[in-house]
Amino acid sequence: NDAKDDTHALSDFLKDRLPQVGLDYDTYGPYVLPLLTEEEVDADEWESVLELLQASSESHSDDEACWMQLRADIQAAWASHLQTQQQHEQEQHEQRAQELSAALAEERRLAEVAAQEAQQKEQQSTSVVDDAAKRALMDRFGYEDDAAEGGDDDNNGGGALTNQQVASQAAQERTNEMRSNKGQTKKDEQAKTNKAKMEKARVKEERRKRSAKGERRRG
C-alpha cells in the first residue's frame, strides 16, 4: 500500500500539506487518498476523515477553519490534476487522429503516384507499339519523301509519308500483287495449253509417218 500511495498523483502534495496541520503523511495519507477519485464522494465521508485528522493533530485540533481550508486545498489540487489529465488525454487523442489522417493522406498520395506511373507506362508502351507498327509499314511500303531530294512530286514536297498514305500505298501494293499473280496464272495456263497442243500434234505426226511407212512396205 505504501508503494501505491507514493505513486498517487497527490502524494507529493499531501506529503507537504499534512505536516502543516501537525499530521504525518505515512500515517494519515492513506485516509485521504481514497477520497480522491473521479467519481463524486459523499460529503459524510469527507466529514468523517476530517474529524479523524483534526482529532489526531497535536497542533491544530482546536482550529476549525484550518480543516475547512485543508479540505478545500485538497479538492482544488485534485480538480486541477483531473483537468490536466483530461487535457493531456484530449491532446493524445487529437495527435493520434492527426497521425492517422496523415498516414491515410500519404497512402492516397502513393496510390495516386502509382496510378500515374502505371498510366504513363501504358501510354509509353502504346506509343512504342504504334511506332513499331509504323516503322514496319515504312520499311515495307514507305519511304521518306523523295521530293525533298528532287524525286517524286506526288507528296506535294512534304516530309515523310503519313500513316494514311502508308496504309493507302500498302493497300495499292497488295492490289497490284494480286493482279500480277492473276496475270501470271493466266499466262501459265496458256503456256500449258499450247504445250499440250504441240504434244498432241507431234503424236499425230508420228502416227501418220508410221502409217505411211507401213503402206510402202506392203506395196
Side-chain angles (χ1 to χ4, degrees), residues 1 17 24 31 38 50 55 70 73 85 87 93 113 126 137 140-141 143 153 159 173 177 196:
N1 289 338
R17 189 68 178 82
D24 177 65
Y31 290 100
E38 296 184 8
L50 287 176
L70 175 65
D73 291 346
Q85 178 177 277
Q87 182 177 358
H93 175 74
V113 170
T126 302
L137 286 173
R140 184 175 180 186
F141 305 109
Y143 51 85
D153 293 331
E173 182 69 18
E177 184 177 355

Side-chain angles (χ1 to χ4, degrees), residues 152-192:
D152 186 11
D153 293 331
D154 292 341
N155 199 28
N156 297 326
L161 295 177
T162 65
N163 290 340
Q164 185 176 1
Q165 290 170 329
V166 171
S168 177
Q169 186 170 344
Q172 184 63 40
E173 182 69 18
R174 287 193 295 271
T175 300
N176 293 341
E177 184 177 355
M178 291 174 64
R179 289 178 179 175
S180 177
N181 291 339
K182 184 176 181 181
Q184 185 64 38
T185 300
K186 188 173 182 180
K187 290 179 180 180
D188 291 343
E189 290 177 354
Q190 290 176 349
K192 290 180 180 179

Side-chain angles (χ1 to χ4, degrees), residues 14-193:
L14 293 175
K15 285 179 182 180
D16 178 67
R17 189 68 178 82
L18 289 179
Q20 294 177 11
V21 293
L23 297 173
D24 177 65
Y25 169 77
D26 291 336
T27 302
Y28 296 99
Y31 290 100
V32 178
L33 292 178
L35 301 175
L36 306 178
T37 67
E38 296 184 8
E39 299 178 357
E40 185 177 357
V41 177
D42 187 75
D44 291 340
E45 294 185 37
W46 270 103
E47 292 294 335
S48 298
V49 172
L50 287 176
E51 289 177 0
L52 172 64
L53 297 180
Q54 182 177 358
S56 302
S57 174
E58 296 179 359
S59 58
H60 294 74
S61 58
D62 296 332
D63 188 352
E64 296 289 342
C66 79
W67 300 106
M68 298 298 295
Q69 185 62 46
L70 175 65
R71 175 179 177 177
D73 291 346
I74 293 175
Q75 289 179 330
W78 181 240
S80 176
H81 164 72
L82 292 179
Q83 183 178 2
T84 301
Q85 178 177 277
Q86 183 178 7
Q87 182 177 358
H88 179 66
E89 292 175 351
Q90 180 65 25
E91 290 174 353
Q92 286 185 327
H93 175 74
E94 292 176 356
Q95 182 178 357
R96 287 194 295 269
Q98 292 175 356
E99 292 174 351
L100 177 60
S101 177
L104 292 175
E106 179 65 10
E107 289 183 3
R108 286 193 296 268
R109 187 189 70 81
L110 293 176
E112 290 175 358
V113 170
Q116 291 175 356
E117 291 178 350
Q119 184 177 6
Q120 290 175 355
K121 289 181 179 180
E122 182 178 358
Q123 291 175 348
Q124 292 173 355
S125 176
T126 302
S127 177
V128 169
V129 172
D130 290 344
D131 290 344
K134 184 175 179 180
R135 283 196 299 270
L137 286 173
M138 291 292 292
D139 291 342
R140 184 175 180 186
F141 305 109
Y143 51 85
E144 294 295 328
D145 185 30
D146 291 334
E149 301 176 0
D152 186 11
D153 293 331
D154 292 341
N155 199 28
N156 297 326
L161 295 177
T162 65
N163 290 340
Q164 185 176 1
Q165 290 170 329
V166 171
S168 177
Q169 186 170 344
Q172 184 63 40
E173 182 69 18
R174 287 193 295 271
T175 300
N176 293 341
E177 184 177 355
M178 291 174 64
R179 289 178 179 175
S180 177
N181 291 339
K182 184 176 181 181
Q184 185 64 38
T185 300
K186 188 173 182 180
K187 290 179 180 180
D188 291 343
E189 290 177 354
Q190 290 176 349
K192 290 180 180 179
T193 300

